[in-house]
Amino acid sequence: APEVPSDQELARALRERRQELEKRARQRRYLVCTQLGFLNVHSEPGDPYNNKNVVARLFEGEIVTGLEERENWLRHDRGGWSIRLHGGFEWLRPISDENNVEGDL
């Protein structure tokens, strides 16, 4: 029978995976894409419709650097958290280092 990993092993593997993902998010730059002309920056992730914790706004075409990812939220270098994926729309699109978004930035 296959060996079942212990809780400690699972926790360690998850922690390592999360650190790896956070490291990737930290290095990555994102292009701001909006449907409304702007994207709110919140003091903490949670409800994208919560206006009480909005600390700034990002505008169409701006570029931010990711610091941490949590579910569909990205903490970035503009002072807070913004929703990355919501309602089937990608508000913050990763820019790969090798080629810019669709190669025409």
Side-chain angles (χ1 to χ4, degrees):
E3 238 181 80
V4 177
S6 70
D7 289 351
Q8 285 87 358
E9 288 172 317
L10 282 173
R12 192 184 69 238
L14 281 171
R15 197 166 49 246
E16 286 170 5
R17 177 83 178 122
R18 185 168 170 202
Q19 286 167 348
E20 182 58 38
L21 288 171
E22 284 180 3
K23 208 174 0 181
R24 272 216 312 252
R26 273 200 295 277
Q27 314 305 328
R28 200 170 239 182
R29 291 159 66 228
Y30 294 82
L31 177 68
V32 178
C33 300
T34 70
Q35 294 173 309
L36 311 165
F38 68 88
L39 175 61
N40 285 328
V41 179
H42 300 261
S43 58
E44 59 205 27
D47 177 4
Y49 298 108
N50 179 3
N51 289 323
K52 293 183 177 69
N53 68 2
V54 172
V55 294
R57 279 183 171 176
L58 302 176
F59 294 95
E60 182 76 39
E62 289 188 318
I63 291 173
V64 298
T65 300
L67 303 173
E68 180 185 347
E69 254 183 289
R70 195 179 296 167
E71 287 162 18
N72 291 333
W73 289 82
L74 180 75
R75 186 167 66 88
H76 49 70
D77 61 348
R78 296 290 295 281
W81 295 83
S82 294
I83 193 80
R84 201 170 94 60
L85 297 162
H86 185 70
F89 187 78
E90 194 172 20
W91 299 83
L92 292 167
R93 298 189 182 170
I95 299 171
S96 64
D97 296 331
E98 307 83 56
N99 55 353
N100 291 330
V101 179
E102 316 303 357
D104 56 22
L105 249 188

